[in-house]
Amino acid sequence: MHPFRKAVEDGDHAAVVDLLSEDVVFTSPVVFKPYAGKPITSAILGAVMQVFEDFRYVREIADPDGRDLALVFEARVGDRSIQGCDFLHFDENGRIDDFTVMVRPLSAAQALQVEMAARFEAVSKAASEPASEEAAGAS
C-alpha cells in the first residue's frame, strides 16, 4: 500500500501534508482554476477529509517508474454516493507535485461543490496562516 493511501485511510492529515511538495498544484473536480502551493492544498485536503463520509480506496494503479499513481475511491457526500480518482505525480524527491481529482456522478460532484463552498472561507484562512498545516489538521 502506498504511504499516501495509508495516510488518507488512517485519517492522518499531517502525514498527507508531509507527502506534498512545496509547489504542489491541486486541481479540484469542482473548481476551474488549479490551486498552487502546499498551504492551500493542505487546507483543501483537510476540508475534504471532513466532507467525505465512508471514504475508502478501492483500487491502486501505479506507474512502474513510481512517479505516477491513480487511486480509485468511493465515499458519500451527504446522501449522495460518489466515485472518484486521485491522480498523483511525484517529483524527484518522492513528494506529490501534481494532484488532480475527478469525481462522478454529476449530482455527487454538485453536492461536493456545495459542501466545499460552505467551508472555503475557513480553508482560505487556514491556508494564509503561517502554521496552516497544523491549523487544517486540527479541525
Side-chain angles (χ1 to χ4, degrees), residues 3 8 15 23-24 42 44 56-57 67 71 76 85-86 88 103 110 116 118 126-127 138:
V8 170
D23 61 350
V24 62
S42 170
I44 290 169
R56 65 199 168 286
Y57 283 117
R67 300 282 303 266
L71 295 165
R76 280 186 311 105
C85 192
D86 293 336
L88 310 176
V103 296
Q110 290 168 329
M116 290 302 294

Side-chain angles (χ1 to χ4, degrees), residues 20-102:
L20 300 175
S21 73
E22 291 299 323
D23 61 350
V24 62
V25 174
F26 178 80
T27 304
S28 165
V30 295
V31 179
F32 176 73
K33 182 181 170 188
Y35 296 96
K38 189 173 183 176
I40 189 67
T41 300
S42 170
I44 290 169
L45 293 176
V48 168
M49 290 172 86
Q50 296 172 4
V51 169
F52 282 150
E53 300 172 53
D54 301 327
F55 183 92
R56 65 199 168 286
Y57 283 117
V58 296
R59 188 169 4 156
E60 188 173 315
I61 306 164
D63 181 28
D65 74 5
R67 300 282 303 266
D68 290 288
L69 179 66
L71 295 165
V72 180
F73 65 83
E74 295 176 350
R76 280 186 311 105
V77 177
D79 64 351
R80 301 284 179 191
S81 293
I82 193 165
Q83 295 173 314
C85 192
D86 293 336
F87 295 100
L88 310 176
H89 181 269
F90 298 88
D91 65 16
E92 62 279 351
N93 299 313
R95 302 270 183 241
I96 300 166
D97 62 2
D98 188 68
F99 192 134
T100 299
V101 181
M102 294 187 184

Side-chain angles (χ1 to χ4, degrees), residues 117-131:
R119 291 167 172 75
F120 211 77
E121 185 176 330
V123 166
S124 296
K125 183 178 178 185
S128 66
E129 294 173 359

